Amino acid sequence: MYQEAVATYNAANPGCPFVAQYGAQIELHQVHVPGNQLQNSSDNDAICILLHNRISMDWDDHAYTYGMVYFEQQFHQPTMSLDIFKDIDDKRLQHLAVYGTPLAIPQWDGWHGMSEEDHYCLLFKCAEKSTNNLVPVVTGL
């Protein structure tokens, strides 16, 4: 779905096409969704957040394996609606038929421990945002 959303965005914005973030420094904008709006969020809302953060399609593809493990775990829970997961699985199979199995990013496989520098950078950014009250709120979901 993300590939289609990027193509749609590019068609609607030919003078300013989608350009994903790459490089050593990536900035992601945190989104706060109030609890009373969470149930109203959709795939489109998640895609808009990915587009706003200029997440590359490679990252989305890399998440496929995690998503499949999560999907399998949830599918076998007795409280889950099999109809919902059947619909999701049908969409997944259609997507695979068109695009094939997404490739993972080999360098991202496994576990990466946070360095002390990464830890302090994250703490500083979180403290700065909470001090300035800059955490954006999603409205109109």
Side-chain angles (χ1 to χ4, degrees):
M1 290 191 320
Y2 191 47
Q3 290 94 340
E4 293 94 346
V6 169
T8 300
Y9 176 89
N10 286 340
N13 300 284
C16 184
F18 174 80
V19 177
Q21 291 190 71
Y22 285 103
Q25 297 272 336
I26 303 291
E27 185 171 339
L28 302 176
H29 301 277
Q30 182 180 4
V31 176
H32 171 72
V33 180
N36 63 347
Q37 292 185 15
L38 194 57
Q39 295 297 329
N40 296 327
S41 60
S42 68
D43 291 343
N44 191 53
D45 296 319
I47 288 170
C48 287
I49 292 167
L50 293 174
L51 286 169
H52 177 74
N53 278 293
R54 297 181 12 232
I55 301 300
S56 77
M57 288 182 275
D58 297 346
W59 288 22
D60 183 60
D61 288 349
H62 185 78
Y64 177 78
T65 304
Y66 169 82
M68 280 306 304
V69 169
Y70 178 82
F71 177 78
E72 286 294 323
Q73 290 172 345
Q74 297 303 309
F75 189 75
H76 297 292
Q77 296 295 320
T79 58
M80 291 295 154
S81 168
L82 295 180
D83 291 336
I84 291 171
F85 283 105
K86 183 177 179 335
D87 289 344
I88 292 170
D89 195 44
D90 289 346
K91 288 179 186 175
R92 179 186 70 87
L93 293 172
Q94 290 170 358
H95 193 270
L96 289 174
V98 173
Y99 296 103
T101 303
L103 299 174
I105 301 171
Q107 299 90 326
W108 289 8
D109 285 346
W111 181 257
H112 169 72
M114 185 182 289
S115 71
E116 187 174 353
E117 181 182 351
D118 291 341
H119 177 76
Y120 284 117
C121 183
L122 182 61
L123 287 176
F124 175 74
K125 285 189 179 274
C126 287
E128 180 182 36
K129 285 189 180 203
S130 64
T131 301
N132 296 329
N133 219 4
L134 294 176
V135 177
V137 176
V138 174
T139 57
L141 295 179

